[in-house]
Amino acid sequence: DTNGDGDLTEWNNPGTLGNLDVAHRIQAGWFSAASARSAGFAGMDFAQVEPATLITSMSLMLVGGGSGGTSGGVKVTTLAVLVLAVVSEARGRDDVEAFGRRISPSTVRQALAVGMTTTLTIAVATFVMLETTALSLESGLFETVSAFANGGLSTGVTAEVPPLGRLLLIVLMFVGLVGPITLGSVLALRQTRRNYRLPEARPIVG
């Protein structure tokens, strides 16, 4: 909490949920969390929210909904595969497993490719946005993530963005809508087998 009074994000923030009764605070908070992953309706004024709420909302938008759905983001399944891969590596297992099934290495590589491409796209777009506008890091990052994830949320600074920045947001909306699905489909369809394997290398990681 930026006010330093120990409140949990927006619970007592008068600019967002603080003036509502308890039932409506819970309802508005739940609606905003769900909306960030799908509908994009603003249940509160995101220009008044705490930095922790911005980070949480960006995370929800970036993940999005389920695979095959109309929501943006990298999709829940992609994140689940990446988390399972980290857990399997931490346990020293060769296979990534879940619910009594083994996830194929090609699926893990596809999830990693989508995740890394998304991260790189957001990083480059945020850099360009900050260099071409007078936005703060929080606002610039929130706008680019929301555009890429097609979240529909904004801190209210879009009108202040110059034409180049607006064009960037438009491109991000298109890339975010078709990019992860297209990349995943292309990687799945371009599976090739070679009749030989190169010698194994073990570079130092970490």
Side-chain angles (χ1 to χ4, degrees), residues 63-89:
V63 174
S67 297
T70 57
S71 61
V74 299
K75 304 296 189 293
V76 175
T77 308
T78 303
L79 178 64
V81 171
L82 293 176
V83 171
L84 290 171
V86 172
V87 172
S88 296
E89 186 64 27

Side-chain angles (χ1 to χ4, degrees), residues 29-97:
W30 180 265
F31 175 82
S32 296
S35 180
R37 299 181 56 225
S38 54
F41 295 115
M44 64 182 73
D45 184 2
F46 278 85
Q48 303 293 327
V49 302
E50 304 287 349
T53 303
L54 286 179
I55 294 175
T56 303
S57 299
M58 284 188 285
S59 300
L60 292 173
M61 288 189 293
L62 197 56
V63 174
S67 297
T70 57
S71 61
V74 299
K75 304 296 189 293
V76 175
T77 308
T78 303
L79 178 64
V81 171
L82 293 176
V83 171
L84 290 171
V86 172
V87 172
S88 296
E89 186 64 27
R91 293 179 175 179
R93 296 179 178 176
D94 294 331
D95 296 325
V96 179
E97 302 171 344

Side-chain angles (χ1 to χ4, degrees), residues 128-129 132-133 158-171:
V128 174
M129 180 65 72
T132 56
T133 67
T158 307
E160 305 172 8
V161 176
L164 181 59
R166 296 181 191 179
L167 178 60
L168 175 62
L169 293 178
I170 293 173
V171 173

Side-chain angles (χ1 to χ4, degrees), residues 112-130:
L112 180 60
V114 171
M116 289 299 298
T117 302
T118 297
T119 302
L120 181 61
T121 301
I122 293 296
V124 172
T126 303
F127 176 83
V128 174
M129 180 65 72
L130 295 178

